Amino acid sequence: MELFPEPFRIKTVEPIKMISREEREAELKKAGYNLFLIDAEKIFVDLLTDSGTSAMSDKQWASIMVGDESYAGCRNFKNLEKTIRDIFGFKHLIPTHQGRAAENILFSLMVKPGDYVPNNTHFDTTRANVEANGGVAMDLVVDEAKDLTSQFPFKGNMDIKKLENFIREVGPDKIPLGMITITNNSIGGQPVSLDNIRQTAAVYRKYGILFFIDACRYAENSYFIKTREPGYENAKPIDIAREIFSMADGCTMSAKKDALVNIGGFLALNSDQLFEQFKQKLILVEGFPTYGGLAGRDLEAISTGLYEGLDEDYLKYRIAHTRYLADRLEEEGVPYVKPSGGHGIYVDAKAFLPHIPQEQFPGQALVAALYLEGGIRSVEIGSVMFAKYEANGKIIPPALELVRLAIPRRVYTLSHLDYVASVFGKVRQNMEQIKGLKFTYAPKALRHFTARFKPVEE
Ligand SMILES: *Cc1c(COP(=O)(O)O)cnc(C)c1O
């Protein structure tokens, strides 16, 4: 892939510091080999997440200065409403402090016990919000998603046959709304094709089911459509986005992703009747309808960021930048999920560290090794996060042991990515010395955030 240099120059810098190997070793021990428990100041390159970690532009910082902090009717709400109508085409805007608050409002009013919500793949917070209201979150992604080496261009797609069979099986009256997530975060930031969104919308419409899009990375998805789907080569990302949302009844959005801000989100929709209900709930849990969960200045930075996130040069750079890390890892012989996604690279830890059995958490061992070798923070998506256990305590590991390298937007340069690849090279050279890990503390739910480990001794 041709390299496209950063279409911006740097005007403000934030120093980062590499502490010594001895200090990193001490930090790892202190944190029980869990990178969530290490202070950000002790990290050199932080690839924990792309959420809320974007660098804002000069224009966005200028937007912060024109925040109107009136309790009611601030001009920034009007402007964001206009932006949402322009890009997404939805009539009503519910501003929230982040994506999961939008999900909470949506599902708490629409889902009741015994209901089902289909999706290509639910993101963790989406699933949790469906389940918290007694619903069942059903994933119906295409089979290509499960093959790590398949180069299928739209691995994020919904399996249309499975979707229709599922609706017939449980009955449309048990499905208050249907969703699709673009890009499909949980399976590696893989895109969904416009044709697939169209077919998904048609199935929902056929059965009278409302269609909401989880839109967090809609701009990256629009660019993948432009470059991978025949017929869209000459379309502008913003026009692709307009076409996508014209097929839906509403969307949930975490502005911490493709709106290039550090906090924020929204729910947008067409129905007047639902809007009235959502608005009452918004007042109860977030704030008055014209600011919701945010300050006026945040609303303005989102408006500006939404357009910047759709800029064609920015998207060309963004996707090429992620792909650059994938290509460098390839050169270092690192196995990863193909093709590379929009917001990160997912390394196959089971294949990279074949000497560590799944019950000794090869993903977590690799996460720890990357920190020890180079001060890099990544996150395990494998047995620590998802393993289940038999009654006798025997582990039932998930199919994949992945390590995610999420790439913050407009934050790191190509030399940071070169550095990350070189650290992988060093880890690989000393691979046999990397030991598996075992728990010294593991909470019952969401254990990856607070669990502690120690190395398995021979
Ligand atoms: C991040 C994310 C969310 C939740 O948004 P938050 O702002 O973290 O609450 C929902 N869906 C997807 C696909 C996401 O990536």
Side-chain angles (χ1 to χ4, degrees):
M1 193 190 209
E2 93 182 272
L3 191 59
F4 191 68
E6 288 82 354
F8 50 81
R9 52 185 177 178
I10 296 166
K11 161 142 72 178
T12 305
V13 296
E14 177 187 4
I16 51 176
K17 196 168 178 296
M18 173 80 97
I19 58 174
S20 71
R21 189 183 177 100
E22 292 68 44
E23 287 173 286
R24 295 198 296 274
E25 199 167 353
E27 287 295 330
L28 260 184
K29 282 200 182 121
K30 205 170 83 188
Y33 296 80
N34 184 342
L35 277 279
F36 280 103
L37 305 180
I38 294 185
D39 288 346
E41 287 186 342
K42 310 288 184 189
I43 309 286
F44 187 57
V45 176
D46 200 345
L47 306 181
L48 183 66
T49 177
D50 67 317
S51 179
T53 51
S54 296
M56 292 212 298
S57 67
D58 52 355
K59 266 201 181 149
Q60 284 180 293
W61 283 108
S63 299
I64 293 281
M65 290 308 295
V66 294
D68 166 1
E69 306 308 342
S70 309
Y71 192 93
C74 75
R75 62 174 172 258
N76 315 110
F77 175 79
K78 288 277 157 208
N79 192 34
L80 183 55
E81 193 180 50
K82 201 168 122 231
T83 303
I84 302 294
R85 286 178 186 162
D86 180 33
I87 298 172
F88 298 83
F90 297 125
K91 191 170 165 196
H92 300 298
L93 163 66
I94 303 263
T96 59
H97 78 279
Q98 56 183 82
R100 68 197 69 184
E103 293 168 350
N104 177 8
I105 291 172
L106 178 67
F107 297 128
S108 66
L109 291 172
M110 295 195 70
V111 173
K112 54 183 193 318
D115 281 347
Y116 294 85
V117 178
N119 205 330
N120 47 352
T121 313
H122 286 84
F123 180 65
D124 329 4
T125 61
T126 323
R127 170 177 299 280
N129 270 294
V130 171
E131 290 173 353
N133 289 290
V136 175
M138 190 67 194
D139 292 342
L140 300 163
V141 71
V142 291
D143 290 337
E144 283 88 344
K146 285 153 205 159
D147 176 357
L148 297 197
T149 55
S150 155
Q151 288 283 356
F152 188 65
F154 291 106
K155 278 180 159 179
N157 279 358
M158 179 82 82
D159 189 319
I160 302 296
K161 256 213 192 89
K162 278 192 219 159
L163 175 64
E164 186 149 14
N165 288 342
F166 177 73
I167 295 172
R168 289 220 188 104
E169 191 188 308
V170 303
D173 50 322
K174 287 270 177 232
I175 305 178
L177 76 160
M179 297 197 76
I180 201 163
T181 303
I182 60 172
T183 58
N184 192 332
N185 181 0
S186 304
I187 63 140
Q190 299 289 331
V192 178
S193 73
L194 198 49
D195 182 56
N196 189 257
I197 298 171
R198 194 175 294 117
Q199 290 188 51
T200 300
V203 171
Y204 286 141
R205 197 174 330 109
K206 178 172 164 190
Y207 292 95
I209 296 166
L210 284 174
F211 176 29
F212 277 74
I213 297 179
D214 182 336
C216 299
R217 297 179 184 79
Y218 78 102
E220 290 171 6
N221 202 100
S222 298
Y223 191 75
F224 278 120
I225 288 171
K226 180 183 168 70
T227 51
R228 292 184 183 176
E229 193 159 346
Y232 293 93
E233 303 82 359
N234 300 318
K236 285 197 260 165
I238 192 168
D239 289 327
I240 295 173
R242 285 175 178 137
E243 193 170 338
I244 290 172
F245 293 102
S246 72
M247 295 184 264
D249 298 293
C251 74
T252 55
M253 172 84 184
S254 168
K256 299 170 75 171
K257 297 13 180 299
D258 276 356
L260 299 166
V261 293
N262 306 118
I263 194 73
F266 57 83
L267 175 59
L269 73 162
N270 283 328
S271 161
D272 298 332
Q273 192 202 339
L274 283 175
F275 176 60
E276 280 312 311
Q277 295 174 31
F278 291 170
K279 206 161 62 177
Q280 295 311 319
K281 179 83 181 187
L282 180 74
I283 294 171
L284 190 66
V285 297
E286 293 272 297
F288 188 75
T290 60
Y291 69 84
L294 295 167
R297 55 177 172 268
D298 297 324
L299 299 174
E300 197 63 27
I302 293 173
S303 281
T304 308
L306 282 169
Y307 286 114
E308 288 182 3
L310 282 167
D311 178 78
E312 196 162 328
D313 282 350
Y314 159 73
L315 284 167
K316 189 173 178 187
Y317 143 78
R318 167 72 174 161
I319 302 303
H321 191 251
T322 303
R323 175 67 185 273
Y324 179 83
L325 178 58
D327 291 348
R328 289 287 292 108
L329 290 174
E330 187 88 49
E331 284 167 30
E332 299 288 348
V334 180
Y336 62 90
V337 179
K338 297 196 172 135
S340 61
H343 66 286
I345 307 294
Y346 292 65
V347 173
D348 182 353
K350 210 161 49 168
F352 191 66
L353 299 176
H355 64 289
I356 301 180
Q358 273 186 279
E359 61 269 21
Q360 292 179 15
F361 308 118
Q364 193 65 29
L366 178 56
V367 165
L370 291 168
Y371 179 72
L372 182 62
E373 191 60 51
I376 296 166
R377 176 151 65 178
S378 54
V379 65
E380 191 253 22
I381 302 183
S383 284
V384 176
M385 227 180 238
F386 294 128
K388 297 195 166 67
Y389 292 86
E390 288 175 8
N392 63 8
K394 192 167 172 289
I395 189 170
I396 312 170
L400 306 177
E401 299 288 345
L402 302 176
V403 166
R404 183 179 77 174
L405 309 168
I407 307 184
R409 293 168 182 79
R410 305 191 293 205
V411 169
Y412 292 116
T413 64
L414 288 183
S415 38
H416 289 113
L417 301 186
D418 276 328
Y419 171 76
V420 170
S422 75
V423 170
F424 266 93
K426 283 191 205 148
V427 167
R428 191 182 159 80
Q429 276 165 24
N430 306 315
M431 182 174 110
E432 272 76 34
Q433 286 155 36
I434 299 173
K435 295 197 178 87
L437 296 168
K438 63 179 179 196
F439 280 125
T440 58
Y441 164 70
K444 278 220 159 56
L446 295 173
R447 62 184 185 177
H448 55 284
F449 289 123
T450 54
R452 300 180 69 85
F453 307 85
K454 67 177 190 188
V456 176
E457 302 300 335
E458 289 90 309

